[in-house]
Amino acid sequence: MTRRTGLVWNERFMWHEQGRYAGILPADFPLQPGRHHENPETKRRLKNLLDASGLSEQLTPIKARPITREELRRVHTADYLDQLDAGNLLPAAQAGLDAPYTKGSVDIAKLAAGGCLAAIEAIFEGQVDNAYALVRPIGHHAEPDLGKGFCLYSNAALAARHAQAKYGVKRVALIDLDVHHGNGAERVFWRDPSVLTISLHQELWFPPDSGGLEDIGEGQGQGYNLNIPLPAGCGFGAYQAAFERVVLPALENFEPELVIVPCGYDAGAQDPLGRMILHGEAFRWFIRELRGIADRFAGGRLLVTHEGGYNENTVPFMGLAVFEELSGIDSGVVDPHRDIFVNMHGHELLMHQEAVIATAASLARDIRKLQ
Ligand code: ZN
């Protein structure tokens, strides 16, 4: 069955720049200037592959619009928003920890966050069944009062709040697949049980000292934040076990009315900023399972926001698999990396990986549907 899948894309997303960088560090002697790891290339090449495969013409374009200050205030503090706006006038600025930006980037970030809200509107107003926001800057590390990890605004969290504010949605689930911890949503919804936040990530990676099993939320929100900090080196087997024993049971208990997936591809094999070995077939399976949850509980309502992923050759194919699974359309394109990565050693579930998953599974059992 094919579905109407929306695509949020704007060429200006590709014009956000961090400045004079090499990898993750400012380029200064002795570090030769190069490119920031989070440069447009992976995202642009995903869009190019959608075009070249013919899939993008079968998607529904969703026009991005700038997010308003009132909408940003649902998540971010006034001081932080003022600080970003002031930096937008400077040649280069820093939003916090590892979140550099240059003149005009904040305008682009507002268009990116607003694009995620436009996707929520298209989903709830019936123009599309589900949507993919292929946006830059990415968002999942941005906290209420602090930019982090290449992120200025917390795109997915803002989308969740928009669905609640504009459409009265009671329960939203965020499942963060990026190899780095989804700290932004964790902080935003720390005391809020109406948004279940789940993050699968490489343990003790980024942000530093973030994303532990014991961090389950507080107050009313206690139990509604699930971290699955996987050891480096996990393959599809460990991720499948984490889904089957933690993520899917938690979602079945919670019964979300909207599913949002901050989707990074840096858990992919050969990513420079992650040490996992996933492939496009893994992402296809994740989205199939999450679409199943959305179909059962949320009328199919599912939004994917693009997050990290820094291997410019492989990210487009993992992304294409996600688009194919969202839309139910087979592009006919076969990922040239597929056999290499699927047949790599290390995809079986190992004991030290299972130990983390077993602990997380015990936490998932406590989650209940809130009225
Ligand atoms: Zn990441």
Side-chain angles (χ1 to χ4, degrees):
M1 191 182 86
T2 60
R3 288 164 290 276
R4 294 167 305 162
T5 294
L7 170 63
V8 180
W9 166 264
N10 188 301
E11 173 58 27
R12 282 183 67 199
F13 299 152
M14 304 298 109
W15 296 7
H16 157 59
E17 281 187 25
Q18 290 85 359
R20 189 178 146 97
Y21 267 70
I24 57 168
L25 295 173
D28 204 354
F29 186 81
L31 188 57
Q32 181 182 330
R35 282 198 303 185
H36 194 286
H37 269 308
E38 201 293 298
N39 62 69
E41 196 65 4
T42 49
K43 287 90 172 171
R44 193 189 290 283
R45 287 169 70 114
L46 170 52
K47 174 61 165 54
N48 288 345
L49 184 59
L50 293 173
D51 291 346
S53 67
L55 193 59
S56 50
E57 61 200 57
Q58 299 178 74
L59 304 173
T60 304
I62 296 172
K63 190 173 159 56
R65 47 106 175 156
I67 194 168
T68 67
R69 186 173 172 97
E70 184 187 352
E71 289 163 340
L72 285 167
R73 285 284 287 119
R74 294 171 183 153
V75 166
H76 294 288
T77 64
D79 283 351
Y80 176 62
L81 297 178
D82 291 344
Q83 179 203 328
L84 281 187
D85 285 344
N88 193 38
L89 304 173
L90 303 173
Q94 178 66 251
L97 177 66
D98 292 330
Y101 61 103
T102 53
K103 191 172 184 189
S105 278
V106 172
D107 297 326
I108 300 170
K110 286 176 182 170
L111 198 60
C116 295
L117 271 52
I120 289 293
E121 290 161 8
I123 289 169
F124 279 89
E125 288 169 26
Q127 289 141 19
V128 297
D129 298 312
N130 53 40
Y132 191 115
L134 182 40
V135 298
R136 282 181 79 245
I138 59 174
H140 78 136
H141 291 309
E143 298 188 358
D145 56 354
L146 196 65
K148 269 188 189 172
F150 326 150
C151 302
L152 304 184
Y153 298 129
S154 197
N155 297 333
L158 288 160
R161 282 288 186 237
H162 194 54
Q164 292 183 317
K166 185 157 185 178
Y167 300 103
V169 175
K170 294 192 185 73
R171 293 179 305 282
V172 184
L174 262 86
I175 304 93
D176 190 317
L177 302 177
D178 192 282
V179 81
H180 306 102
H181 177 222
N183 60 293
E186 176 181 277
R187 260 201 70 193
V188 172
F189 304 114
W190 185 246
R191 294 177 178 278
D192 184 348
S194 71
V195 181
L196 171 65
T197 47
I198 303 176
S199 176
L200 299 105
H201 50 266
Q202 185 176 324
E203 65 175 340
L204 298 175
W205 194 227
F206 187 88
D209 300 322
S210 180
L213 274 167
E214 66 282 5
D215 299 331
I216 58 169
E218 278 183 336
Q220 296 268 305
Q222 187 171 335
Y224 291 85
N225 184 70
L226 274 181
N227 285 323
I228 311 173
L230 295 166
C234 284
F236 190 23
Y239 273 84
Q240 269 189 307
F243 256 70
E244 286 168 351
R245 300 182 200 174
V246 187
V247 177
L248 299 174
L251 294 170
E252 283 163 1
N253 288 346
F254 186 70
E255 300 189 19
E257 297 172 331
L258 168 67
V259 176
I260 299 179
V261 185
C263 190
Y265 301 98
D266 36 18
Q270 298 183 355
D271 190 281
L273 297 187
R275 289 294 175 266
M276 303 299 194
I277 56 168
L278 296 182
H279 42 62
E281 294 313 300
F283 281 90
R284 187 186 304 282
W285 186 85
F286 299 152
I287 297 300
R288 184 176 305 158
E289 294 298 318
L290 294 173
R291 197 167 48 67
I293 293 289
D295 285 344
R296 271 176 70 189
F297 301 112
R301 291 184 291 268
L302 173 61
L303 169 64
V304 176
T305 62
H306 194 104
E307 304 292 346
Y310 305 98
N311 182 321
E312 63 192 39
N313 295 309
T314 60
V315 164
F317 291 96
M318 292 186 275
L320 183 69
V322 167
F323 273 98
E324 287 187 341
E325 198 55 48
L326 285 175
S327 65
I329 299 168
D330 179 359
S331 71
V333 169
V334 176
D335 179 358
H337 311 92
R338 176 180 154 152
D339 290 348
I340 300 168
F341 290 159
V342 167
N343 294 319
M344 279 170 76
H345 287 281
H347 283 299
E348 67 280 9
L349 175 65
L350 300 175
M351 273 175 60
H352 71 294
Q353 301 165 348
E354 189 164 20
V356 176
I357 294 165
T359 306
S362 66
L363 298 170
R365 280 195 284 274
D366 295 336
I367 290 170
R368 291 286 170 270
K369 174 187 174 185
L370 299 173
Q371 299 303 320

